[in-house]
Amino acid sequence: QEHLKLLAKLARSLIKKDFTAALRAAGSGEEIVALVEGALADKPAPAPAAAPAAGAAAPGAAEAGHGRHAAEADAGRPRTLVAVTACPTGIAHTYMAADSLAAAAKEAGVDLQVETQGSGGATPLDPAVIEAASAVIFAVDVDVREKERFAGKPVIQSPVKRAIDEPAVMVREALAAADDPNARRVSGVAEIGAQAGSPADGHIGAKLKRALLTGVSYMIPFVAGGGLLIALGFLLGGYNITAVADQVVLENSIVNLPEGGLLAYLGAVAFKIGQLSMGFLVPALAGYIAYALADRPGIAPGFTAGAVAGFMGAGFLGGLGGGLLAGWFAHWHSTLPAPRWLRGLMPVVIIPLLASIVASGAMFLFLGGPIAALTAGLNGWLSGMTGTSAVILGVILGLMMCFDLGGPVNKVAYSFAVAGLGAGSIANQAPWQIMAAVMAAGMVPPLAMALATVLDRRRFSLAERENGKAAWLLGASFISEGAIPFAAAGPLRVIPASMIGGAVTGALSMAAGVPSQAPHGGFFVFFAIGNLLMFVVSILAGVVVTALADIALKRYAVGRAGRPEAAKAGTPAGAEAAAADASRQPAV
């Protein structure tokens, strides 16, 4: 948890112009250490030495800003906005979007307060701040938590990536929405008044995507904790722990150890806790899909439909169907008029009751059997995959994981692997093998970019080399976003090279039958990975292929026009070009 908070703070600092300018102006290692420590302590970065001159060079801008603020004060209605940012993993994009919006609002003379709903925790906005806001911006790929706090506010909604790419446009759209009486607004349950094709991205496809990603996002902690505990149980108690865990846990204790001693008992306890945690996989998926569609009234029907899907053997496909059905019915029922005396019972009793009956009843009567048959067929197909078919699946998963570095295609492959993880067992390791291939391929891009900056330093700018140092840790932790700075600077070079290496890694991992019971963590969950040697070999092969391909494309396809300042290192013009190039490099 502390590691995630540290990454989030560094990501937020590196996107701030004053912080990066102060770093470039630092004259010693001690100054850099002080700047970084200040950033981690949330202290403002000191202005670089050149800042006064730059400020003096543009008095018109300062006067214009002063005039704008004065006009707002005269009008008696200072413009204020609030925003919420959230991505499925909540590590990098959540905080990059928040600071991009904050910087754009500051330049526009607008007061903006942002709530980041990331993995490092979220500090809710003060209700008084929300009440005073003219409009709200939702830059999210998952559903907003406690959305009813913003009820009645004009809203602009988009994927989190747009807030990073076009923050100024979103701020302008929010200000325009605040002045538009017909603008889309937030209700206590869901947004209303959306217009087709609006930039708020409220069409049915986007809503379904957000609902599915919300379900996956809330499901991952159950899978991550459960998978690691099951792996720890195997490590301590051996692979026969599956047959005796229930008996050991019920009949023994810490003072009445079973045959095998303390390790066998702790292994049984860890395995059982992990197994119970994994049992929430389908209910949590369905429950939070329904929550994303219908807010709180959808949670109970969604969990119930997910439990029914698990009971009938419909697996994660049944959870998807049950969650969507429960959420849709709960949302539809919440839009129906109700007598005043019944309104208080609607979200607490009536809607959950009726939605549970409809969704779970449909699972029992109509949907559960066919979906269970489909799930059994899919599991049988995956279990029977060997040789060429397994390699082809590994290639496809590797290509998807490296296509957009944490984007929608990457999330589809990752969600597919995580959703099937609960079906894995000692006798059926195919779902674990898919998870290993996905995780290994996702580690390739950042590690490969880090290696490329070491193999051919002079073809990478100073900023890229610094990003390469951070990419070692990000790649080892299975954070594909570590390659985003490189992809942003040269997408037509980095993305194809990464996809080639990812395909190689996925194919080798599947061919070797490497299993992983952990859905995240990279090298740091080594104890949850079987055949660790081939896991490492597969990753190294993909990393080397991608690094060499990127260097080749940078050297031969881009040519001299693509060479950074290092070609002229040692000359004043080269140093000036280096600074200009480094200033354009995005950072995570």
Side-chain angles (χ1 to χ4, degrees), residues 290-573:
Y291 165 73
L293 293 173
D295 211 84
R296 292 184 182 179
I299 292 181
F303 266 86
T304 304
V308 172
F311 173 75
M312 298 191 69
F316 78 95
L317 292 178
L320 291 176
L324 290 172
L325 183 59
W328 173 83
F329 184 83
H331 171 69
W332 171 77
H333 204 280
S334 66
T335 62
L336 298 179
R340 182 180 297 273
W341 60 271
L342 193 59
R343 290 177 186 173
L345 293 176
M346 290 292 289
V348 180
V349 178
I350 307 299
I351 295 177
L353 173 63
L354 295 179
S356 296
I357 293 173
V358 170
S360 299
M363 290 298 299
F364 272 122
L365 299 176
F366 308 110
L367 301 178
I371 295 178
L374 178 61
T375 300
L378 178 62
N379 288 336
W381 173 65
L382 292 175
S383 302
M385 290 186 69
T386 56
T388 304
S389 58
V391 171
I392 292 175
L393 179 60
V395 169
I396 294 173
L397 293 173
L399 291 172
M400 294 176 69
M401 287 300 296
C402 299
F403 176 73
D404 52 3
L405 305 176
V409 177
N410 173 287
K411 288 296 184 291
V412 168
Y414 181 69
S415 300
F416 169 70
V418 172
L421 200 58
S425 64
I426 298 299
N428 175 26
Q429 298 194 18
W432 296 349
Q433 293 168 7
I434 291 173
M435 188 71 253
V438 163
M439 183 157 61
M443 296 167 64
V444 166
L447 291 175
M449 293 303 103
L451 178 62
T453 61
V454 173
L455 295 179
D456 200 352
R457 287 175 54 85
R458 64 190 186 87
R459 293 189 181 275
F460 291 89
S461 67
L462 177 61
E464 286 177 320
R465 293 198 294 270
E466 291 303 314
N467 286 329
K469 294 177 182 178
W472 286 114
L473 178 59
L474 295 173
S477 305
F478 181 36
I479 300 177
S480 302
E481 288 87 345
I484 286 179
F486 301 91
L492 297 181
R493 184 188 75 250
V494 175
I495 295 298
S498 297
M499 291 176 68
I500 294 172
V504 170
T505 294
L508 288 176
S509 179
M510 288 297 290
V514 178
S516 172
Q517 295 167 256
H520 214 293
F523 291 130
F524 297 100
V525 292
F526 62 91
F527 60 88
I529 299 171
N531 200 349
L532 182 61
L533 176 61
M534 281 307 302
F535 181 75
V536 175
V537 169
S538 300
I539 294 173
L540 290 179
V543 167
V544 171
V545 168
T546 295
L548 294 179
D550 181 72
I551 292 173
L553 290 172
K554 200 174 182 70
R555 179 178 300 179
Y556 300 112
V558 180
R560 291 183 177 275
R563 292 187 182 184
E565 80 290 346
K568 301 178 182 179
T571 67

Side-chain angles (χ1 to χ4, degrees), residues 176-191:
D179 297 328
D180 183 2
N182 297 318
R184 183 188 188 200
R185 294 176 182 271
V186 183
S187 77
V189 176
E191 298 97 16

Side-chain angles (χ1 to χ4, degrees), residues 17-26 31 35 43-55:
K17 296 179 181 179
D18 58 345
F19 179 74
T20 53
L23 281 180
R24 293 189 179 96
E31 289 184 42
L35 287 169
K43 297 178 181 177

Side-chain angles (χ1 to χ4, degrees), residues 26-406:
S28 66
E30 289 76 12
E31 289 184 42
I32 292 177
V33 170
L35 287 169
V36 173
E37 289 180 343
L40 297 180
D42 295 325
K43 297 178 181 177
E63 291 173 3
H66 177 74
R68 179 174 58 246
H69 290 299
E72 292 173 353
D74 293 340
R77 51 188 300 270
R79 309 308 297 272
T80 61
L81 301 174
V82 292
V84 175
T85 61
C87 64
T89 53
I91 295 176
H93 290 147
T94 297
Y95 302 97
M96 293 171 67
D99 287 304
S100 294
L101 288 171
K106 184 178 181 181
E107 292 180 1
V110 176
D111 181 21
L112 174 69
Q113 302 291 325
V114 186
E115 178 180 317
T116 52
Q117 297 185 353
S119 60
T123 301
L125 290 168
D126 191 314
V129 173
I130 298 176
E131 179 65 26
S134 304
V136 59
I137 297 174
F138 289 155
V140 295
D141 288 331
V142 298
D143 204 56
V144 178
R145 304 172 198 166
E146 299 181 352
K147 191 187 305 179
E148 65 275 5
R149 295 174 295 157
F150 306 93
K153 295 293 180 183
V155 61
I156 297 297
Q157 183 160 332
S158 77
V160 69
K161 188 175 184 298
R162 184 169 183 248
I164 299 174
D165 297 337
E166 302 176 349
V169 175
M170 294 193 68
V171 170
R172 289 198 299 269
E173 290 174 353
L175 293 175
D179 297 328
D180 183 2
N182 297 318
R184 183 188 188 200
R185 294 176 182 271
V186 183
S187 77
V189 176
E191 298 97 16
I192 58 176
Q195 298 177 356
S198 71
D201 196 26
H203 54 79
I204 186 64
K207 289 182 178 179
L208 287 176
K209 172 190 168 186
R210 284 196 301 272
L212 295 176
L213 287 177
T214 298
V216 171
S217 178
Y218 281 100
M219 174 192 74
I220 285 176
F222 292 100
V223 182
L228 289 173
L229 284 167
I230 288 175
L232 187 61
F234 284 133
L235 182 68
L236 297 176
Y239 280 98
N240 66 338
I241 198 68
T242 56
V244 299
D246 290 2
Q247 180 182 355
V248 168
V249 171
L250 293 174
E251 297 180 1
N252 296 274
S253 67
I254 195 70
V255 295
N256 178 28
L257 296 176
E259 182 180 353
L262 180 62
L263 289 182
Y265 178 71
L266 294 178
V269 169
F271 176 83
K272 195 58 189 177
I273 295 174
Q275 188 181 53
L276 293 172
S277 177
M278 291 289 284
F280 286 100
L281 187 155
V282 176
L285 175 66
Y288 285 106
I289 287 176
Y291 165 73
L293 293 173
D295 211 84
R296 292 184 182 179
I299 292 181
F303 266 86
T304 304
V308 172
F311 173 75
M312 298 191 69
F316 78 95
L317 292 178
L320 291 176
L324 290 172
L325 183 59
W328 173 83
F329 184 83
H331 171 69
W332 171 77
H333 204 280
S334 66
T335 62
L336 298 179
R340 182 180 297 273
W341 60 271
L342 193 59
R343 290 177 186 173
L345 293 176
M346 290 292 289
V348 180
V349 178
I350 307 299
I351 295 177
L353 173 63
L354 295 179
S356 296
I357 293 173
V358 170
S360 299
M363 290 298 299
F364 272 122
L365 299 176
F366 308 110
L367 301 178
I371 295 178
L374 178 61
T375 300
L378 178 62
N379 288 336
W381 173 65
L382 292 175
S383 302
M385 290 186 69
T386 56
T388 304
S389 58
V391 171
I392 292 175
L393 179 60
V395 169
I396 294 173
L397 293 173
L399 291 172
M400 294 176 69
M401 287 300 296
C402 299
F403 176 73
D404 52 3
L405 305 176

